[in-house]
């Protein structure tokens, strides 16, 4: 009982440090760390003949590892995409993007279930839907009379051109670089650039 109470407060403190709020927000790395911590705690509670610090040390190491990986994810977009994943468009203008559905192994039944949870009866009522890295579906319904909304698309992130988004808006690398040149900017100077309603909004690096 004492071990159970100790680990309850110790794990609560550890998760406060890691900044996790709910299971639905956990990414792949977070989920792996959570599973490992749970296994270590379960073994320590069962094996009462072993020192409690045999569990505290590896859990502390996992917390430190999680903090380091979280810092790297913020600092490096490549690292974040490699380990955390990126949003995937599942519905575009009322139509299912089947290749993305297949690549994410997301079934039609799962999609329809999420739509029903959001009180949506038909796929045609959805303008855009994105499958987030944490497994949640972000849904954007059509406005009244199916007026198209201008979804903001990042076209430069941390000095890297987002080629897929450029293709989606039917623009080229040359077009983008010309806009940067007109604004006396190099690609390396741009932290974030987003395209919305035929305009580009640029955030420069400090």
């Amino acid at each position: 009982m004492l071990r159970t109470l100790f680990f309850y407060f110790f794990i609560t403190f550890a998760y406060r440090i890691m900044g996790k709020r709910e299971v639905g927000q956990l990414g792949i790395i977070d989920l792996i760390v959570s599973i490992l911590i749970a296994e270590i705690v379960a073994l320590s509670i069962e094996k009462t003949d072993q020192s409690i610090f045999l569990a505290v040390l590896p859990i502390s190491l996992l917390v430190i590892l999680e903090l380091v990986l979280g810092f790297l994810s913020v600092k490096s977009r490549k690292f974040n995409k490699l380990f955390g994943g990126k949003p995937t468009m599942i519905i575009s203008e009322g139509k299912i993007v089947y290749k993305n559905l297949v690549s994410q192994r997301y079934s039609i039944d799962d999609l329809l279930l999420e739509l029903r949870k959001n009180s949506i009866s038909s796929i045609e009522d959805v303008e855009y839907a994105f499958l987030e890295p944490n497994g949640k579906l972000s849904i954007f319904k059509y406005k009244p009379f199916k007026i198209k909304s201008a979804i903001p698309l990042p076209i430069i992130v941390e000095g890297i051109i987002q080629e897929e988004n450029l293709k989606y808006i039917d623009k080229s690398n040359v077009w983008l670089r010309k806009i940067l040149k007109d604004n006396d900017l190099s690609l390396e100077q741009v932290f974030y650039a987003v395209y919305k309603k035929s305009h580009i909004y640029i955030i420069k690096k400090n």
Side-chain angles (χ1 to χ4, degrees):
M1 288 178 65
L2 288 174
R3 282 172 176 255
T4 303
L5 287 171
F6 170 79
F7 279 113
Y8 173 81
F9 290 107
F10 180 66
I11 299 303
T12 300
F13 174 71
Y15 270 79
R16 288 294 183 188
I17 292 175
M18 290 191 292
K20 306 306 168 196
R21 289 175 289 177
E22 58 179 270
V23 175
Q25 294 176 339
L26 298 182
I28 294 173
I29 295 175
D30 307 322
L31 183 60
I32 292 170
V33 169
S34 298
I35 292 171
L36 290 175
I37 288 176
E39 288 294 326
I40 293 168
V41 170
L43 289 172
S44 181
I45 291 174
E46 290 175 3
K47 297 184 178 181
T48 55
D49 57 321
Q50 293 184 357
S51 171
I52 204 167
F53 290 102
L54 291 176
V56 170
L57 290 175
I59 290 173
S60 299
L61 177 62
L62 286 171
V63 171
I64 293 170
L65 178 64
E66 167 70 8
L67 292 173
V68 170
L69 293 177
F71 176 79
L72 291 174
S73 294
V74 172
K75 289 293 183 181
S76 172
R77 182 171 173 81
K78 287 183 178 180
F79 183 89
N80 186 39
K81 286 173 68 176
L82 180 63
F83 287 93
K86 62 178 182 177
T88 304
M89 185 178 286
I90 299 297
I91 298 176
S92 175
E93 297 182 359
K95 296 179 182 179
I96 296 174
V97 185
Y98 283 102
K99 64 175 183 179
N100 292 347
L101 202 70
V102 173
S103 69
Q104 295 299 312
R105 295 179 294 279
Y106 198 72
S107 71
I108 292 289
D109 290 332
D110 292 333
L111 177 60
L112 294 177
L113 174 61
E114 289 300 319
L115 293 181
R116 288 195 296 272
K117 283 182 180 179
N118 287 272
S119 303
I120 299 172
S121 59
S122 174
I123 293 172
E124 286 77 15
D125 295 332
V126 179
E127 187 172 7
Y128 298 104
F130 294 88
L131 186 62
E132 305 294 349
N134 63 3
K136 286 189 174 182
L137 191 69
S138 297
I139 300 169
F140 301 87
K141 294 193 290 184
Y142 269 111
K143 293 179 179 179
F145 309 109
K146 288 198 173 183
I147 298 172
K148 289 186 177 181
S149 58
I151 182 169
L153 286 173
I155 53 176
I156 300 176
V157 179
E158 295 182 1
I160 299 173
I161 296 174
Q162 307 301 297
E163 301 289 350
E164 290 182 8
N165 290 343
L166 267 185
K167 289 179 182 177
Y168 185 79
I169 61 175
D170 198 25
K171 301 294 182 181
S172 66
N173 239 295
V174 175
W175 169 83
L176 180 57
R177 290 181 184 275
K178 183 180 183 303
I179 289 176
L180 293 178
K181 186 177 180 181
D182 292 342
N183 287 274
D184 295 321
L185 288 170
S186 66
L187 194 59
E188 292 74 21
Q189 291 176 296
V190 180
F191 175 72
Y192 189 76
V194 63
Y195 181 86
K196 183 179 180 180
K197 291 184 178 179
S198 302
H199 294 285
I200 294 181
Y201 302 91
I202 298 172
I203 299 174
K204 294 188 291 184
K205 291 181 180 177
N206 293 328

